[in-house]
Amino acid sequence: MNQKTISIVFSTRKDNPFFIGHLKQTCGIEDVEILQYSNDGKYSLTEIYNKALREAQNDIIVFSHDDVFFEHSSNWGKSIIDHFKHSEFGILGKAGTTSITESGRWWDEPLFMVGQVWHQQKDPVTYQDVKWECRYSGNFGGNIIQTILVDGLFFAIHRERIKKEFDESIKGFHFYDIDFSLANHFEGVKVGVMFDIMITHKSIGLTDREWEDNRIRFVSKWKKYLPYSMKPQIMYEEMDLAIANQPKLAIIIHGKDSEDSLPNCIESIIGKTRYQNYRMYVVYHGVRENHKMKIQEYSKQRKNIAFIEYQNTNPASIRNNVVKNHVDVDTNVLLFCHPDIRLLNDAISRCIQIYLDNKNEIGTIGIRLHANDNTISHAGFIIFVDKNNQIGITHKGLKSYYAYNPGVERDILGCSGAFLMVHKNLFLSVGGFSEHYKAFYEDIEFNLKSIIAGKINYFIGDAVAYLSEALQGTPHDTERVSIQYEDFQRII
């Protein structure tokens, strides 16, 4: 088989030369094979697509609805060939999920959906074309995100890698895609979503009686497996960053009574960070004597670690005091770090790099944090207004797998104090953390004070750490981080 070209398959009610021409113009492949199957409803899509599996001349086969269009000269066909060439995936689509419920509706759990698809329809009043994007996750560029299934709007398969054909007991034009991709997933075929092909769908995919009937058949077929989900791996890359003229960094770790979290945090910093010009300040209060002795002994064995004990229990007050009275005078940058943090890559060097590149405007800097189940704990703060017209703040991407920006996001609301970097002079000039709060929210207010001071806050999505589930039960990491309305009004 020719591995440098593809076959494109679509079913249509009547001959569609315009769509054939569009496919040829945009795919970027001269000798592309296009298989048009005219079908007035006599055959189901499973029958049509199985026929295409037998008749296609190429092993890479693209299945598409005939009401989609691509950017001209997008060369999307070459992208698909490259994806299959450089990966082990057998099925690739533009939208999918890592979980499916007992209902069979793959969009029931939006936090686990993956992909981005544009839609276009005519406004019923103005008759003008209206275009919008359904963004189920971040845009991961040339990367592929593994899922358990993909939507049939547009997907590609490598015929030599799939294990199951389309189930022809599924009649009509619905659930053929979900069943096909899930069946192959269960047979070990890698299914995934790609992002470097821009596609616009001239439909919003409404359900009907046939859709509901096929949903019931699908649920009956897979009943013993549903609900079903996979636990994706955290996406990150190791970094090899060498930074010249390093500003002095103070890493302030405000601890708690735990034997394991602090050593793991410190070891991850030492093990992952190439940055050299830093000093750690380990701050504790209310620590049991046996733990205190272990931590102090641990600190003595490592250079650049200072152990500081406080009787005060107000986190904001403690951190402010450390900066004013303990941090070396020649310190340039502060990093506030929770002891449950465990770095997965050199997040510190990456944040310093972004700080140096944007020194004149930058306010706070934060990173992507994951819980122990690999879901997102934090990908920046976002503001919302609830059904009672109350203002609140939550963590972007919370409890999802991929609802975050994987790159550098500029001009955000702010980031969690569990890992927060800031210039020392800015910290002092805005008065540090507000000591008004007994616990939590002081980092939210600090981010807002940074904006009010004319600075721009940054989120670094490719700098990554675990944040232990120890915080998941607190108001700071629940599904909604609610700030009291009167306190928020006081801030602004």
Side-chain angles (χ1 to χ4, degrees):
M1 293 289 181
N2 189 344
Q3 299 298 316
K4 296 183 179 180
T5 187
I6 61 176
S7 298
I8 306 174
V9 176
F10 70 95
S11 175
T12 182
R13 292 188 179 278
K14 58 182 180 179
D15 186 50
N16 195 339
F18 174 81
F19 189 56
I20 292 174
H22 179 66
L23 294 172
K24 289 180 177 179
Q25 290 171 6
T26 58
C27 73
I29 301 173
E30 290 186 6
D31 56 345
V32 61
E33 179 188 33
I34 298 180
L35 299 177
Q36 171 186 266
Y37 291 94
S38 296
N39 179 24
D40 60 2
K42 180 179 180 180
Y43 301 101
S44 67
L45 270 186
T46 54
E47 294 173 296
I48 293 292
Y49 283 179
N50 277 337
K51 181 177 174 64
L53 285 177
R54 295 189 296 269
E55 295 180 349
Q57 297 299 305
N58 303 294
D59 282 332
I60 297 177
I61 307 172
V62 175
F63 298 91
S64 176
H65 288 189
D66 63 350
D67 60 348
V68 303
F69 64 91
F70 308 85
E71 293 298 315
H72 285 280
S73 303
S74 60
N75 295 325
W76 55 265
K78 292 181 179 179
S79 296
I80 289 176
I81 291 173
D82 286 342
H83 281 312
F84 283 120
K85 181 178 179 181
H86 299 293
S87 77
E88 297 178 348
F89 282 87
I91 302 173
L92 295 173
K94 277 293 295 173
T97 184
T98 61
S99 178
I100 189 165
T101 66
E102 292 174 326
S103 75
R105 292 184 291 265
W106 68 274
W107 57 83
D108 270 356
E109 297 177 306
L111 289 174
F112 301 133
M113 292 167 63
V114 181
Q116 296 174 314
V117 178
W118 285 88
H119 294 272
Q120 179 174 306
Q121 281 191 317
K122 285 194 179 296
D123 185 285
V125 177
T126 66
Y127 297 101
Q128 298 296 312
D129 285 335
V130 179
K131 190 174 179 180
W132 70 96
E133 183 182 24
C134 287
R135 181 173 294 187
Y136 309 122
S137 68
N139 186 335
F140 294 88
N143 294 308
I144 300 170
I145 300 296
Q146 188 170 3
T147 59
I148 61 172
L149 56 84
V150 293
D151 184 82
L153 147 86
F154 176 88
F155 65 103
I157 65 108
H158 195 299
R159 186 163 49 189
E160 290 186 342
R161 298 176 187 174
I162 63 169
K163 302 292 180 62
K164 293 287 187 178
E165 293 187 339
F166 295 89
D167 183 353
E168 295 186 12
S169 69
I170 297 176
K171 302 301 181 181
F173 302 90
H174 300 292
F175 272 90
Y176 65 93
D177 47 357
I178 308 303
D179 178 83
F180 171 74
S181 49
L182 187 64
N184 275 280
H185 167 77
F186 283 139
E187 292 294 325
V189 178
K190 290 188 72 173
V191 181
V193 169
M194 51 192 169
F195 297 84
D196 54 355
I197 298 172
M198 183 175 172
I199 186 171
T200 300
H201 191 203
K202 297 180 182 179
S203 169
I204 57 174
L206 297 174
T207 62
D208 55 18
R209 182 69 255 174
E210 181 188 277
W211 184 93
E212 180 62 21
D213 290 342
N214 280 359
R215 183 191 69 82
I216 293 170
R217 292 188 186 96
F218 173 85
V219 170
S220 177
K221 176 179 177 179
W222 298 106
K223 184 176 181 179
K224 69 177 182 179
Y225 296 99
L226 300 179
Y228 176 80
S229 64
M230 61 178 290
K231 179 182 177 181
Q233 296 299 306
I234 297 174
M235 283 191 64
Y236 69 94
E237 294 181 3
E238 296 290 350
M239 297 180 178
D240 187 16
L241 301 175
I243 298 175
N245 302 318
Q246 299 182 353
K248 189 168 184 179
L249 171 68
I251 303 175
I252 300 168
I253 306 174
H254 185 195
K256 61 181 183 179
D257 192 4
S258 172
E259 291 187 86
D260 299 323
S261 62
L262 176 63
N264 290 338
C265 174
I266 294 175
E267 289 299 333
S268 77
I269 292 173
I270 294 172
K272 294 293 183 180
T273 307
R274 286 193 61 187
Y275 198 80
Q276 298 296 315
N277 192 19
Y278 68 83
R279 181 171 175 78
M280 290 189 204
Y281 299 84
V282 180
V283 187
Y284 265 77
H285 59 81
V287 180
R288 286 178 286 176
E289 194 63 32
N290 61 327
H291 289 182
K292 185 192 304 182
M293 292 176 62
K294 289 180 181 180
I295 294 167
Q296 288 175 329
E297 185 61 33
Y298 178 88
S299 300
K300 290 177 183 178
Q301 297 171 8
R302 288 157 178 81
K303 65 178 182 177
N304 295 338
I305 300 180
F307 179 86
I308 307 167
E309 184 175 10
Y310 278 83
Q311 297 303 315
N312 185 355
T313 59
N314 182 290
S317 175
I318 290 172
R319 292 173 183 175
N320 291 342
N321 191 279
V322 171
V323 174
K324 294 175 182 177
N325 299 311
H326 294 279
V327 167
D328 293 342
V329 176
D330 60 344
T331 296
N332 303 104
V333 186
L334 307 173
L335 171 60
F336 297 97
C337 184
H338 196 280
D340 280 332
I341 288 288
R342 180 161 57 88
L343 298 184
L344 293 178
N345 61 6
D346 192 355
I348 291 175
S349 295
R350 179 64 168 142
C351 288
I352 289 288
Q353 180 188 55
I354 298 300
Y355 161 78
L356 291 173
D357 289 345
N358 304 277
K359 198 171 182 179
N360 293 330
E361 70 171 22
I362 205 160
T364 62
I365 310 170
I367 68 171
R368 174 163 43 108
L369 304 177
H370 286 261
N372 289 343
D373 63 0
N374 288 359
T375 59
I376 296 288
S377 286
H378 171 80
F381 288 138
I382 54 174
I383 194 168
F384 65 92
V385 177
D386 67 17
K387 62 183 179 181
N388 297 316
N389 205 32
Q390 297 293 294
I391 295 175
I393 293 177
T394 187
H395 293 192
K396 185 177 181 179
L398 186 64
K399 299 187 183 299
S400 75
Y401 286 118
Y402 298 111
Y404 65 87
N405 188 328
V408 178
E409 194 170 359
R410 178 183 177 274
D411 202 13
I412 64 166
L413 182 63
C415 287
S416 169
F419 189 103
L420 188 70
M421 185 176 287
V422 64
H423 193 286
K424 186 179 75 170
N425 289 346
L426 175 61
F427 181 83
L428 294 173
S429 69
V430 300
F433 293 112
S434 172
E435 298 176 17
H436 169 80
Y437 307 102
K438 293 181 180 180
F440 315 115
Y441 310 132
E442 73 278 355
D443 54 351
I444 298 175
E445 179 168 337
F446 181 78
N447 280 280
L448 294 174
K449 290 197 293 186
S450 168
I451 295 173
I452 293 169
K455 298 299 182 180
I456 296 174
N457 300 333
Y458 278 70
F459 167 73
I460 316 301
D462 53 13
V464 191
Y466 271 116
L467 176 61
S468 169
E469 289 184 333
L471 290 185
Q472 294 300 298
T474 69
H476 208 72
D477 290 87
T478 50
E479 292 184 5
R480 286 293 194 195
V481 180
S482 295
I483 184 170
Q484 293 181 8
Y485 185 68
E486 58 269 25
D487 283 342
F488 191 81
Q489 292 289 72
R490 177 182 59 80
I491 295 168
I492 59 176

